Amino acid sequence: MGLFDFLLAKKQTATIAKDRLRIIVAHERAGRGSNSPDYLPMLQRELLEVIRKYINVDAEAVKVDLIGDGESKVLDISVALPENPAQA
Amino acid sequence: MAEIIVVTSGKGGVGKTTTSASLACGLARRGHKVAVIDFDVGLRNLDLIMGCERRVVYDFVNVVNGEANLKQALIKDKRFENLYVLAASQTRDKDALTKEGVQKVLDDMVAEGFDYIVCDSPAGIEKGAYLAMYFADQALVVVNPEVSSVRDSDRILGLLASKTRRAENGERIKEHLLLTRYSPNRVETGEMLSVGDVEEILGLKTIGVIPESPDVLNASNKGEPVILETESNAAQAYDDAVARLLGDTRPMRFITAEKKGFFSKIFGG
């Protein structure tokens, strides 16, 4: 802190922290909600391993969600392929 | 009936052991019979913070394995005759504690007439942390006003609501937030998450806010739980938190910035 520092507006980093936390916490809570069984993360990891035997994909490329739609539930698996899917 | 309180956080270094020691002392100072257990197998530290490291003969794992009985392993505090410490084992065997073993020790403590059993959880979400929280009636989630600590606390809150005995029986653990290392000045300048911010993100009320204080390090150097440094803001904040845990209502102190004078604003400091 030096001469006249107080005149300069400081960057409000706490606001950035709060916004980032709101998003990530909401995301992570959704991932462990009551309609999200324990096996989803494991299923996602194993699927990723299998897919990687054939295609080089990022860890985030495989998304596994259980979508509750009234009485029926849908296991939604999506795999985003890289632009140049090189074989593993 | 004994009340089992877990002090947990997920993230390391946020003040779990400091809090466990002060909570145990605060409860004992009010006349309750208290045991505080170090669940950090392999990384025993509560004994140092409590100042009884040279009096550890038997530890938690010895009792679980039947190599010593509870009475032999409990270390009686020198300051409060109704306060006892159960040290963690220094074994590297991560499976030294089992759910059955922990349950037996806790049952023995209940039979011994303890009013409060404080479980000092290790960091992380591995077996030690799981066992520390499993039998709890209440949880004190220690959080620093900082992104990684807040996120990890949310993770722990999720586990408290699903991976504990109470959760399995369809009951809830009573959860409390305890903010530590709080700097009102930095909150004021917009550099640190405020109490309200953390409460809003985690959806939970705070039971206490411990200001950042040099007294915490000084107390740990001496092996004196900081709550006993009665002149210290941190000690008073811990005492308020203990009082609230026991049902008192007390206003939050030490959460507003000290007013700076005109000259210190200009010349810094």
Side-chain angles (χ1 to χ4, degrees), chain A residues 1 5-13, chain B residues 185-186 189-191:
Chain A
M1 292 285 270
D5 263 4
F6 76 101
L7 290 174
L8 301 168
K10 249 197 181 157
K11 197 156 172 53
Q12 303 273 301
T13 54
Chain B
N185 287 316
R186 302 194 77 181
T189 55
E191 292 175 274

Side-chain angles (χ1 to χ4, degrees), chain B:
Chain B
M1 190 60 196
E3 193 78 2
I4 302 173
I5 307 173
V6 61
V7 178
T8 183
S9 70
K11 191 176 181 295
V14 297
K16 282 182 297 297
T17 301
T18 300
T19 298
S20 298
S22 282
L23 169 63
C25 279
L27 290 167
R29 189 162 62 186
R30 284 176 164 73
H32 299 290
K33 186 172 177 185
V34 182
V36 55
I37 311 176
D38 190 346
F39 272 78
D40 203 347
V41 171
L43 293 168
R44 173 197 294 167
N45 274 321
L46 179 68
D47 55 336
L48 275 175
I49 302 303
M50 292 294 294
C52 63
E53 70 277 7
R54 296 187 58 189
R55 295 193 288 134
V56 178
V57 181
Y58 295 110
D59 60 51
F60 196 2
V61 170
N62 291 139
V63 182
V64 166
N65 292 344
E67 294 148 5
N69 63 38
L70 183 63
K71 277 197 172 139
Q72 291 173 298
L74 283 174
I75 305 161
K76 190 172 178 168
D77 187 79
K78 296 241 174 179
R79 295 152 294 219
F80 302 100
E81 59 170 22
N82 47 340
L83 173 60
Y84 295 82
V85 179
L86 183 56
S89 162
Q90 287 288 47
T91 174
R92 286 163 62 186
D93 175 12
K94 284 282 167 201
D95 295 320
L97 288 183
T98 58
K99 201 191 264 183
E100 296 70 31
V102 172
Q103 171 144 40
K104 192 189 166 298
V105 173
L106 292 175
D107 286 348
D108 286 356
M109 283 184 169
V110 172
E112 284 290 319
F114 280 99
D115 300 313
Y116 289 95
I117 302 167
V118 177
C119 301
D120 181 21
S121 173
I125 51 172
E126 302 300 316
K127 194 173 181 186
Y130 164 72
L131 289 174
M133 71 168 68
Y134 186 76
F135 298 99
D137 301 303
Q138 301 193 41
L140 215 59
V141 179
V142 183
V143 54
N144 289 170
E146 174 270 325
V147 286
S148 49
S149 176
V150 174
R151 180 201 211 168
D152 291 358
S153 300
D154 191 63
R155 197 73 208 281
I156 286 292
L157 289 170
L159 296 176
L160 287 167
S162 60
K163 305 284 182 201
T164 52
R165 181 168 66 175
R166 280 190 166 237
E168 286 172 6
N169 293 337
E171 300 166 315
R172 263 199 94 82
I173 286 188
K174 212 189 284 176
E175 299 149 338
H176 316 275
L177 281 186
L178 183 85
L179 251 78
T180 56
R181 309 202 65 169
Y182 196 74
S183 290
N185 287 316
R186 302 194 77 181
V187 172
E188 193 125 303
T189 55
E191 292 175 274
M192 184 180 272
L193 293 165
S194 69
V195 183
D197 290 340
V198 178
E199 286 183 338
E200 192 188 320
I201 293 160
L202 296 176
L204 208 58
K205 280 283 172 200
T206 33
I207 198 159
V209 179
I210 314 300
E212 172 83 61
S213 163
D215 302 326
V216 174
L217 178 61
N218 280 316
S220 80
N221 287 342
K222 293 189 290 182
E224 182 99 335
V226 70
I227 196 171
L228 302 178
E229 307 282 332
T230 41
E231 297 297 301
S232 161
N233 288 356
Q236 292 170 33
Y238 267 121
D239 193 63
D240 285 352
V242 174
R244 290 187 199 104
L245 198 75
L246 295 172
D248 282 12
T249 38
R250 289 196 181 184
M252 286 289 174
R253 293 191 278 170
F254 320 115
I255 57 170
T256 48
E258 288 166 39
K259 285 280 167 278
K260 275 192 171 180
F262 178 69
F263 286 101
S264 66
K265 265 191 174 173
I266 293 182
F267 298 108

